[in-house]
Each structure stands twice: as C-alpha cells, then as structure tokens.
Amino acid sequence: GFAVGGNAALGKTADGGEAWTWRSDLSDTRGNRLLGVHFVDERYGWVVGSSSRIYRTTDGGASWEVETWEVGRTFRGVHFADRRAGIVVGDDGFVIWSADGGKTWALRVVSTKASMRAAHCVNSTHGFVAGYLGSLFRTRDAGQSWQEPPDKSATTSMFFLGVSFAPGGLNGWAVGQRGEPPAVAPGLLLSTTDGGDTWVEDRRTKLLNQRLNSVTSHAELVPACPTTSWDPSAGERTTTTRTTTTANAIAQQVQETELELLTLMSATGAAERMVSNTA
C-alpha cells in the first residue's frame, strides 16, 4: 500500500501498514503537498498534488516519471481503471483523461468551475468525477461529454470529497459533507445501484459531525453490521459500520497525523466498508 501527504511525502508498506518506508524526493518544490495516489497493481501507480505535476511509476515506486501540466495548477485526485485509462481532477472544474497510462493527457470540460476532488475511472470509456457544490458527473465516452445525475439528487449544499464504484460500474458511493470544508458539517454518503442514474443519501451520516474524506470499493457490497466502542481514557466514542465476509468496500474518515497523510489506499488488498465517527 501507499500513502501521500505534505512536503511531497510518499510512504510505502508491504505488511499491511505495520511498517512504512518514506521518501520526499518527488518534488523540488518546498512544501509541495501530494494529494492523490492510485495503483492498479503492484507495479503501476500514479501520484498527483499541488505542484502541477503527475508522477507515474511502472516498477512499484522504485522510480518515477514526471509530467508538468499547467504551472500553478493543483491536482486533487487520480484514478485509473487499468494500466491505460485514467482520470485526474483539480480545482476550477479541471478534468483530464489519459488513454495510454498517463504518457499523454487530454483536457475534458465539465459544466462547473467548482473544485473537483475525486475521480473513478470504470473502464476505457466510463468514469465519474465529484467535487464541491454538488458536482457529480458521469461520462460514457471517455470524457468527451459529462452528465449530472438525472434525478437531481446532488445539490449545491453537498461537497463531495470521494467517489468510488465496485467492478462493473453499477454499485457506487460518493462521500463528503454538507457545507463547505474546512467548516465542521454533517457527513455525507450517497449510493447508487444503477451506474449513477439515481443516487440515494444515507441520512444516518447526518449524525456524524465530521466529513467523510474518501471511499474505495473493490467488489460487491454485503450487508453491514454496526459496532460501537468507547475509550474512557481518550474520551472518544467510535461507531463503525463495516462489511465482513467479502470485506470489499470502504468509506473512511482520514484523520490528520504528524505526517499529514491526505490519502491512503491499498494497491492490492481488499478493504472494508467503514464509516467512522469520533466525537
């Protein structure tokens, strides 16, 4: 697995997160924040951040190629369907699409100037992007055109920070908060079972007075079972909803750490669907 964060920090673990090795040489810009990372397998991965650069590795992070796109641009998210098809998103409605593994990119236009925060590339033609002010778009033609949900389920009070789909592109989730970050606001979780034609809000997340920052899914979702734990010494209560049998989708809050980890994902392992609240 890999994690990225402030000061161009890139971490790698080979034991499920027990131990990490860190490097900070991906950028010559002091204070550069790496904001997005995605691997499709153990070798091929991409990293984006605040330095207008897209980093690409084909050897599991041992070496990286870099491409600079529009100096001054901040990239917020990256996702690839396979070793070829992928999407990068950023501020001011910025979306680009690659069909050759990130060697070249084509600008794609969505009907918003809101900050785009997350992407999910389903295959060589289908993909989703999400961001501020209810921005939730789908493409079926490799980004040549983008459509909002026909049922108008996404509203301008919704600020999406993550979007993900299970294999096949039918079951998907979008997470974030109601109200503009970094203000404290209720969490937000929408789901779809028809490829984005309709979205349903899980209103239980309004009880979470914290945003949901990311979501990752790897296979079909199984019924969830909530648990609650209480740590008297820390004065914290945590409620977790997770799937267990296939353990294949996760919607998790990413808390700040000393390393300012902003995105965390596993390159090869399955994950859980988790909605956590610490209050």
Side-chain angles (χ1 to χ4, degrees), residues 63-265:
S63 63
W64 294 84
E65 303 171 10
V66 59
E67 179 181 351
T68 300
W69 180 286
E70 291 190 12
V71 173
R73 175 76 65 178
T74 294
F75 300 137
R76 299 285 181 178
V78 57
H79 189 273
F80 273 73
D82 48 37
R83 291 184 174 185
R84 297 187 62 81
I87 308 170
V88 166
V89 296
D91 291 342
D92 302 316
F94 184 81
V95 178
I96 53 177
W97 185 288
S98 179
D100 57 10
K103 295 178 182 178
T104 61
W105 295 87
L107 184 65
R108 298 298 190 232
V109 179
V110 294
S111 59
T112 181
K113 289 298 182 181
S115 178
M116 306 305 296
R117 293 293 174 131
H120 186 97
C121 190
V122 177
N123 53 39
S124 61
T125 58
H126 286 52
F128 295 81
V129 295
Y132 284 7
L133 298 174
S135 299
L136 186 57
F137 294 92
R138 175 182 65 186
T139 182
R140 292 175 172 173
D141 55 13
Q144 297 291 343
S145 62
W146 296 88
Q147 300 80 39
E148 296 181 272
D151 64 347
K152 306 297 182 183
S153 51
T155 67
T156 56
S157 67
M158 297 178 177
F159 288 73
F160 295 110
L161 301 171
V163 63
S164 187
F165 276 74
L170 290 178
N171 293 327
W173 299 265
V175 299
Q177 73 175 54
R178 286 189 172 275
E180 185 172 3
V184 176
L188 179 67
L189 170 62
L190 270 64
S191 63
T192 179
T193 58
D194 54 16
D197 285 335
T198 59
W199 292 83
V200 177
E201 182 179 0
D202 187 336
R203 299 191 179 277
R204 292 173 296 177
T205 57
K206 289 185 177 181
L207 301 176
L208 306 180
N209 200 32
Q210 255 180 335
R211 66 179 178 265
L212 302 176
N213 284 334
S214 64
V215 57
T216 303
S217 53
H218 295 281
E220 299 302 321
L221 189 64
V222 297
C225 177
T227 61
T228 300
S229 61
W230 172 256
D231 183 354
S233 62
E236 295 179 343
R237 181 181 62 193
T238 300
T239 302
T240 302
T241 301
R242 66 178 64 191
T243 63
T244 53
T245 306
T246 55
N248 287 321
I250 182 167
Q252 67 177 30
Q253 288 177 235
V254 180
Q255 305 295 336
E256 288 187 0
T257 69
E258 293 181 359
L259 293 170
E260 194 190 0
L261 302 183
L262 302 175
T263 304
L264 176 65
M265 71 160 291

